[in-house]
Amino acid sequence: MKTSKLSIRLLWYITPLVILPLLLLGGFTLTNVTSSTQKQAKLIVSRFVEQQQQKMFNYMEIYQSTTKLLSTSPVLSDYLSLPDQESLEKTQRLGALMDVFASYSEAYPDILSINLVNEHGQSHAFYASNLNRAPQSYPFFAQVRQSNLRQQQFMQASQDGGTQLYFVQQIYGVDFNLNRPQREGYIIVQVAPSLISSSILEAPYDNTLNLLVSASGEVLFSSDSHFNQSFLSVEEMALVNALADRGKLDSLVLPSIDNLRRMTYSAQLSGGYYYISTIPKTILYQSGKAISLTTALIVILSVITLPILIFIVVRNLLLTPIELLGEASHRVGDGDLSVALPAHDDDEVGILFDDFNHMIKQIRDFQGELEDYKLHLEEKVENRTRALEEMNRQLEVAIAEAEQASQLKSRFLANMSHEIRTPLTAIMGFTEQMLHSPTATNSALHLDTILRNSRHLLELINNILDLSKIEAEKLAVEQDPIELLHLLKDVESIIAPMAEQKQLGFTVHYALPLPQQLYSDETRLKQILLNIATNAVKFTETGSIEISARYRADTARFEFEVKDSGIGMSQGEMSRVFKPFEQADSTTTRRFGGTGLGLCISKNLAQLLGGDVSVESAQGVGSRFTISVAANHPAAEFAWIEDETQLAHDHVVSTQQLDQTQLEADILLAEDNPDNQELLTLLLGAWGLKPDIAKNGAQAVEMALVNDYDLILMDMQMPVMGGLEATEMLRHAAFDGPIIALTANVMKHDIDTYLAAGCDATLAKPIDREKLGAVLLKYLQLEEDKSSQWNSLLQSEKYLQISRNYVEKLPDQLTQLEQFFTDQEWESLRALAHSLKGSAGCFGFSNIHSAAGDLETCLREDNPSKWEYAMLSLTQAIRYTLEQEHANLE
């Protein structure tokens, strides 16, 4: 296998990066293993000795307690209480005592014998489990007699090489003639040291030597029987004692045992005995050395093998794929596109191989396409030539259409110029005539002509604006309830006079039953009906006009049909009639006038209202337009018009009511344009109303807060402060009267903005007299009704009773006022004055209201010089009110 330069460089980098940390880790591990092994060995030995020490202590404690319990036995006390002369009774009690000794021996199998001896060591009662005789003497008895300890324990080596354990308890009798107890003898319990022997034989490690040594150095117990009853020298006992005081595992040499250096742990037991556990040092640390050697071997093997393994893995995972990729790239550079890298694992290298293979495939595909392109170049040039010819043909059509559109635009502009100039000529001409001859006899006729042409010009502008909104998709429609009969009566009131003027018949047909209401945009629906109906009148010379209404339950739509006997249209004319800026032909424009926008707008409006406009026509016969709109009934059940008697009702518009009404109201007109001020003042004067004028929003706010106006007409576009800001400020200042917005911006979002700011309604400019009258009639009558309700409330018995109750509380409040003033409780006085100001104003006691307000203001401004006068004014006002009420009652 060829070794690359990258492989050698990688090996140079990997080797130190792996070996150095392994060496550091290995040294640290060896150190810790040795230290941990020593600590673990010391911990094991120390815990073992402590456990054995505790076991021996518990063992001896049990038999010490047993001996003590035996010495306090009532049977023993009864036995000792009898004098020696009464031999028969003494013998009986001795038998009972022997039974007690036997029961203790059975309860504790390790008890070998129990002996009751007197002060001189003579046995009075002896029991042995092996039925031996009582010993003549005990080697430790002299030590017992010399000691003042009530309880002692002794370990004595026996002749058979073992060690016996003895527990001695002093026995005292009570002499009632003496002041202190008298010693009667001793209880000596001999115990087989089975637990001590077994504890000595236990070992935490192999080759452990455990010893139990007396204070004199005699080995009483040993895990190696060869050392039993041997002696440690005085120097060795001193070392053992010092080691027991330190309480830790340490290195020690005991020549009396052997000359080996042993790790020794010593613990002192009660009675001056020592428990010693030793183990040769070489054996104790042998396992630690083995672990250290194993660790060192692992570190050395890791230092050798890890770099090799890492190099092999990196070569297989990275270097070999790089070599394959480099070789493949070289072949591709030589022009061999048949190369393909083998499939690899789903990793970054595999993705790189896939991308390389994809790149080669793309190059092969591009070369194939290039060859194909070269082979089919002539065919493609021919196809491209045909495509260019087709594009040229389409371009010629587009140019022709553009020229046609330009012609239509020119014709439309010419038509619009004629339509605009015609009413303007009449308006300007008759206006100049009236200015020069104000006293002419036919001035009323001239004014009527000016008004008629102005309305025609306004309608023309509205049509253009509506079309622009429709094309921009900005025209919004409402869904308000519409009374069907009112709608058709309004249309009839406009179309009937026009038909009568041309001596045409006019009728309205109702296909009963019909719903009484539909939910749609009344303004737009009326605009559609008037557009089509006025066209019918305009294009009809003789005959009649018919409007019919029906309801289609299957589609939930209303259908209005406008039929005339006019000039009619051909099939080609009907295909263009709903397009903007077009009429049937140019002769129609010259003969009847018009912009050609009405039917286009009507169709679009009908579609916005959930329906459509269609036409059927024949030249010379007449036309029939069908308008359909969605009913939008919110519920399945609604009221119906079912017979003709419901059609015969008087339809009186609000303006007719207003013409017969003279209103009394304070009105504020906020308008910056002097001409509009004069016009609105003139219109309002016809109903007996004379408004106050504000030239901007700031003046309007100031005047509205000072005066209590019944209604405000607010222009939305004014200098200094606009109507929108003025309306918001008035609403924040708690002005609750009606505010009517005057605006030329009648887009839905504009109207919504005005209503959200606090306006109650909007009137579009130029001001329509009928709509203005309807607004006045609605809101001024509403205010009048509110005022009437308020006056009725003030005269009601309940209000009068509440007012009398309030007057009855005034004396108590007067007393509180004088008390607060005397005690100088100014904050309480101010709170009471504030309460009086509000309540007195509500019940119409203006003198108390004013005086309480003055006192509250003085107290709030911290002006002591005026407090006394303000207080006097308030108390006098209350007294005067009480006197007046008393007089009224009398």
Side-chain angles (χ1 to χ4, degrees):
M1 180 179 62
K2 181 181 178 181
T3 303
S4 63
K5 295 180 180 179
L6 183 60
S7 301
I8 298 173
R9 186 180 301 174
L10 186 62
L11 189 60
W12 274 105
Y13 281 114
I14 289 176
T15 301
L17 290 176
V18 173
I19 290 176
L20 290 177
L22 283 175
L23 291 176
L24 293 174
L25 181 62
F28 179 75
T29 303
L30 288 174
T31 304
N32 281 340
V33 165
T34 303
S35 175
S36 299
T37 303
Q38 294 177 357
K39 290 179 180 179
Q40 184 178 8
K42 292 179 180 180
L43 182 62
I44 291 173
V45 173
S46 61
R47 285 183 178 178
F48 170 75
V49 173
E50 290 173 358
Q51 291 173 359
Q52 301 306 319
Q53 177 188 11
Q54 187 64 35
K55 285 168 64 177
M56 294 180 185
F57 175 79
N58 293 337
Y59 184 74
M60 293 179 180
E61 182 70 20
I62 289 172
Y63 286 100
Q64 285 177 352
S65 300
T66 302
T67 305
K68 183 176 180 181
L69 183 63
L70 184 60
S71 66
T72 59
S73 173
V75 177
L76 178 61
S77 300
D78 291 342
Y79 176 77
L80 295 176
S81 63
L82 290 176
D84 294 337
Q85 292 81 1
E86 300 177 5
S87 59
L88 180 60
E89 184 68 20
K90 192 79 169 180
T91 303
Q92 292 176 350
R93 294 189 180 185
L94 177 62
L97 180 61
M98 294 302 290
D99 291 337
V100 172
F101 288 173
S103 63
Y104 271 84
S105 179
E106 291 177 359
Y108 298 96
D110 284 347
I111 295 179
L112 299 179
S113 66
I114 303 174
N115 194 4
L116 172 63
V117 299
N118 60 12
E119 278 287 322
H120 304 289
Q122 297 173 350
S123 177
H124 285 191
F126 177 79
Y127 174 83
S129 59
N130 55 6
L131 303 179
N132 288 338
R133 292 180 177 277
Q136 296 297 324
S137 63
Y138 294 98
F140 51 81
F141 193 74
Q143 183 179 350
V144 170
R145 295 188 63 184
Q146 295 175 0
S147 176
N148 292 325
L149 296 176
R150 288 195 174 189
Q151 191 177 62
Q152 299 178 65
Q153 63 186 29
F154 298 95
M155 295 184 188
Q156 294 292 326
S158 59
Q159 296 178 356
D160 57 0
T163 300
Q164 297 298 329
L165 180 58
Y166 295 92
F167 294 92
V168 181
Q169 178 71 37
Q170 294 182 5
I171 303 173
Y172 289 86
V174 179
D175 188 348
F176 296 102
N177 296 321
L178 299 176
N179 292 326
R180 59 187 180 85
Q182 182 179 1
R183 186 162 56 194
E184 296 288 345
Y186 303 92
I187 287 291
I188 301 175
V189 179
Q190 181 184 359
V191 177
S194 59
L195 180 65
I196 297 177
S197 300
S198 61
S199 298
I200 291 295
L201 295 176
E202 293 179 4
Y205 294 101
D206 295 336
N207 298 317
T208 300
L209 177 62
N210 298 326
L211 303 174
L212 183 61
V213 182
S214 65
S216 60
E218 182 181 6
V219 178
L220 300 174
F221 295 93
S222 173
S223 57
D224 188 348
S225 59
H226 295 91
F227 299 110
N228 286 342
Q229 299 181 359
S230 60
F231 285 86
L232 299 181
S233 64
V234 176
E235 293 80 7
E236 291 173 337
M237 287 302 299
L239 293 175
V240 169
N241 187 28
L243 189 62
D245 292 339
R246 291 197 300 271
K248 57 186 292 187
L249 186 68
D250 204 351
S251 176
L252 190 66
V253 178
L254 298 174
S256 300
I257 303 300
D258 53 26
N259 288 320
L260 293 177
R261 179 163 293 279
R262 293 174 173 271
M263 298 302 293
T264 305
Y265 192 95
S266 175
Q268 187 173 6
L269 304 177
S270 59
Y273 301 100
Y274 293 91
Y275 184 89
I276 303 172
S277 181
T278 68
I279 183 173
K281 187 174 182 180
T282 55
I283 296 176
L284 181 63
Y285 295 146
Q286 186 174 3
S287 59
K289 290 181 179 180
I291 294 174
S292 300
L293 292 175
T294 304
T295 302
L297 181 61
I298 292 173
V299 170
I300 294 172
L301 292 176
S302 299
V303 168
I304 296 173
T305 58
L306 274 180
I308 298 175
L309 292 175
I310 292 175
F311 176 76
I312 293 173
V313 171
V314 171
R315 178 169 183 80
N316 291 333
L317 292 179
L318 187 60
L319 297 179
T320 301
I322 291 176
E323 291 175 358
L324 289 174
L325 185 60
E327 183 181 354
S329 301
H330 183 74
R331 291 174 58 186
V332 171
D334 292 339
D336 184 7
L337 297 179
S338 62
V339 63
L341 292 175
H344 202 271
D345 295 336
D346 188 14
D347 54 11
E348 286 77 4
V349 175
I351 294 172
L352 183 62
F353 278 20
D354 293 340
D355 291 342
F356 182 84
N357 292 333
H358 178 69
M359 180 187 69
I360 299 302
K361 182 179 179 300
Q362 290 291 100
I363 293 174
R364 288 199 300 266
D365 293 342
F366 289 155
Q367 283 191 346
E369 291 178 1
L370 182 60
E371 293 295 331
D372 182 69
Y373 185 80
K374 290 179 180 179
L375 294 174
H376 300 86
L377 182 58
E378 183 177 350
E379 180 181 352
K380 291 182 180 180
V381 169
E382 183 179 354
N383 292 337
R384 181 58 58 87
T385 302
R386 286 198 298 269
L388 289 174
E389 291 176 353
E390 179 64 21
M391 290 178 63
N392 289 332
R393 187 185 64 79
Q394 294 177 0
L395 182 60
E396 291 174 358
V397 173
I399 291 173
E401 291 178 352
E403 290 177 353
Q404 183 180 2
S406 178
Q407 292 174 1
L408 287 174
K409 178 182 177 182
S410 299
R411 189 167 63 188
F412 168 74
L413 290 176
N415 188 22
M416 288 298 300
S417 176
H418 172 74
E419 291 291 328
I420 293 174
R421 288 174 183 275
T422 298
L424 278 177
T425 301
I427 293 171
M428 293 173 65
F430 283 109
T431 303
E432 289 178 356
Q433 180 67 26
M434 291 188 65
L435 287 174
H436 288 91
S437 303
T439 60
T441 57
N442 54 354
S443 58
L445 180 61
H446 293 168
L447 286 173
D448 183 67
T449 304
I450 293 172
L451 179 59
R452 187 175 64 256
N453 284 276
S454 298
R455 288 177 175 173
H456 175 70
L457 187 59
L458 177 61
E459 180 184 358
L460 179 64
I461 294 172
N462 285 337
N463 284 339
I464 296 173
L465 293 176
D466 285 344
L467 183 63
S468 64
K469 294 174 188 177
I470 291 171
E471 291 181 344
E473 298 182 356
K474 297 293 184 180
L475 186 65
V477 295
E478 306 289 343
Q479 279 193 12
D480 298 323
I482 304 172
E483 293 292 335
L484 179 64
L485 289 182
H486 291 178
L487 173 70
L488 293 177
K489 291 294 183 180
D490 287 344
V491 174
E492 182 179 0
S493 66
I494 296 172
I495 302 301
M498 296 174 60
E500 184 179 355
Q501 186 178 5
K502 294 185 68 174
Q503 298 180 356
L504 300 174
F506 178 76
T507 55
V508 178
H509 298 289
Y510 299 90
L512 300 179
L514 285 171
Q516 289 185 3
Q517 288 185 334
L518 69 155
Y519 291 80
S520 189
D521 192 319
E522 183 175 7
T523 302
R524 296 305 180 183
L525 180 54
K526 188 183 295 185
Q527 181 180 353
I528 297 170
L529 294 173
L530 290 177
N531 275 344
I532 297 177
T534 53
N535 276 350
V537 174
K538 181 169 62 174
F539 294 111
T540 302
E541 297 295 337
T542 60
S544 63
I545 310 297
E546 296 179 4
I547 298 178
S548 60
R550 72 172 67 90
Y551 177 72
R552 298 184 63 91
D554 55 343
T555 59
R557 289 184 179 182
F558 279 90
E559 287 188 356
F560 302 94
E561 191 175 277
V562 180
K563 183 179 180 182
D564 65 66
S565 58
I567 61 174
M569 292 178 288
S570 64
Q571 194 68 30
E573 290 170 344
M574 284 191 293
S575 63
R576 301 192 306 271
V577 72
F578 293 114
K579 293 183 179 180
F581 316 122
E582 294 194 20
Q583 289 185 327
D585 55 26
S586 58
T587 59
T588 304
T589 303
R590 289 192 298 270
R591 182 179 175 186
F592 296 101
T595 60
L597 297 177
L599 291 178
C600 175
I601 293 173
S602 298
K603 187 175 182 68
N604 283 278
L605 288 177
Q607 291 174 351
L608 288 175
L609 296 178
D612 202 354
V613 177
S614 60
V615 61
E616 297 177 6
S617 182
Q619 281 186 328
V621 176
S623 303
R624 180 170 60 191
F625 286 84
T626 302
I627 305 107
S628 64
V629 293
N632 296 319
H633 289 126
E637 298 295 330
F638 43 85
W640 291 81
I641 303 172
E642 297 182 351
D643 53 52
E644 295 184 358
T645 58
Q646 296 177 260
L647 302 176
H649 71 287
D650 294 329
H651 175 64
V652 182
V653 297
S654 60
T655 52
Q656 293 173 342
Q657 298 177 18
L658 193 61
D659 287 339
Q660 303 170 4
T661 305
Q662 291 294 306
L663 300 174
E664 293 183 5
D666 293 330
I667 294 180
L668 175 63
L669 172 61
E671 172 63 63
D672 62 311
N673 188 288
D675 296 332
N676 289 341
Q677 293 174 5
E678 185 176 357
L679 174 61
L680 286 167
T681 302
L682 183 62
L683 291 175
L684 293 171
W687 298 304
L689 300 172
K690 185 177 180 180
D692 293 340
I693 306 297
K695 297 180 180 179
N696 55 60
Q699 289 184 6
V701 172
E702 182 178 354
M703 294 173 67
L705 295 179
V706 173
N707 304 302
D708 188 15
Y709 288 109
D710 298 307
L711 184 139
I712 298 177
L713 296 174
M714 183 76 71
D715 182 27
M716 290 293 106
Q717 300 290 335
M718 291 186 291
V720 182
M721 179 185 290
L724 189 66
E725 296 86 351
T727 301
E728 292 177 343
M729 188 172 294
L730 284 173
R731 292 309 187 197
H732 290 160
F735 178 81
D736 58 353
I739 301 177
I740 312 302
L742 305 178
T743 178
N745 300 327
V746 292
M747 298 291 285
K748 184 178 184 302
H749 65 274
D750 293 322
I751 294 176
D752 292 341
T753 302
Y754 304 149
L755 296 178
C759 293
D760 295 278
T762 58
L763 287 174
K765 290 184 177 181
I767 303 300
D768 185 278
R769 183 177 180 275
E770 294 182 359
K771 293 181 179 179
L772 175 61
V775 168
L776 292 175
L777 187 64
K778 175 181 178 181
Y779 287 100
L780 291 182
Q781 282 188 346
L782 183 63
E783 291 297 314
E784 184 177 351
D785 293 342
K786 288 182 179 178
S787 177
S788 176
Q789 292 174 5
W790 176 253
N791 292 331
S792 300
L793 176 63
L794 295 180
Q795 299 300 324
S796 65
E797 180 63 30
K798 186 173 183 180
Y799 176 81
L800 294 176
Q801 180 61 42
I802 295 174
S803 179
R804 286 194 294 269
N805 293 339
Y806 175 76
V807 173
E808 291 175 358
K809 296 178 182 177
L810 284 177
D812 293 336
Q813 293 180 334
L814 178 60
T815 304
Q816 287 184 1
L817 283 171
E818 294 174 342
Q819 186 66 38
F820 288 154
F821 189 82
T822 303
D823 296 342
Q824 297 184 357
E825 297 182 10
W826 309 122
E827 187 61 30
S828 299
L829 182 62
R830 187 190 66 78
L832 183 55
H834 176 78
S835 175
L836 280 170
K837 181 182 71 171
S839 59
C842 291
F843 289 101
F845 302 118
S846 57
N847 56 342
I848 299 177
H849 169 78
S850 177
D854 293 340
L855 178 58
E856 181 189 12
T857 303
C858 293
L859 292 171
R860 184 183 294 110
E861 294 177 354
D862 196 15
N863 191 356
S865 62
K866 297 182 179 180
W867 290 355
E868 186 173 357
Y869 175 77
M871 178 65 184
L872 180 62
S873 299
L874 179 56
T875 56
Q876 290 299 324
I878 295 175
R879 289 191 178 98
Y880 175 78
T881 300
L882 292 173
E883 291 174 359
Q884 290 296 112
E885 290 295 323
H886 182 70
N888 292 336
L889 290 175
E890 291 180 353

